[in-house]
Every structure is written in structure tokens, then in C-alpha cells.
Amino acid sequence: MFGGRRVARRTARRTSRRTSRRQMAMYQDQGGGGGEEYYDEPAPAAPAAPEAPDPMEQLEKLAQLHAQGILTDEEFAAQKAKILG
């Protein structure tokens, strides 16, 4: 009476193991790696270094501000000297 249940359990376990192994082999054949690597988090990307501002663009902006009267002649000259070094 209980023998049938044991056989059924063993058969179910074996079938499950075989299926798991087959699926893992198929996954590895597709280049997926295996196990632990699949669950690893990707490393965070390093922040990009800010680009150095273009001196010509800065001078153009300064010239616009000077033309609009926002910057005085002294302020414009000081910023221009700072940009040009």
C-alpha cells in the first residue's frame, strides 16, 4: 500500500532533478553562465568627468552679458583675463 507512494515520490524527485540539470545545461550553452554569476548585481558605472568649459563659448557669453549691460567694463575685463589665463 505505501510502496506505491514511495515509488511515485522517487520518480518525481528524479524527474525534477533531471529537468533542472537539463535546463541549466541549456542555459549555459546559450552563454548565460551559471548559478551565482546570474544573480550578481552589475558594478555601478563611474561618474563621467565633467568636460572643461570651452573658452570661446565662455568669452561669447561674457560678451553678451557685457553688451546687455549686465557686466561692467571692469568685470568683463577681469573675467576675460581669468578665462584667457
Side-chain angles (χ1 to χ4, degrees):
M1 182 154 133
F2 293 106
R5 286 185 186 171
R6 279 190 221 148
V7 171
R9 281 187 202 150
R10 272 188 275 156
T11 303
R13 280 188 214 133
R14 288 179 185 162
T15 303
S16 176
R17 287 182 195 141
R18 240 185 325 209
T19 303
S20 295
R21 288 184 197 129
R22 236 181 305 161
Q23 287 174 344
M24 184 59 91
M26 285 179 10
Y27 178 72
Q28 288 175 345
D29 288 344
Q30 293 173 358
E36 297 298 320
E37 296 106 7
Y38 182 74
Y39 295 104
D40 287 345
E41 293 282 327
E51 291 185 29
D54 184 29
M56 289 302 293
E57 288 180 16
Q58 288 182 323
L59 288 174
E60 288 173 2
K61 288 179 185 177
L62 279 177
Q64 289 175 355
L65 293 173
H66 184 253
Q68 294 171 355
I70 297 173
L71 291 178
T72 63
D73 291 334
E74 294 82 24
E75 291 171 330
F76 176 73
Q79 292 296 323
K80 181 179 165 185
K82 191 188 248 186
I83 292 170
L84 295 176

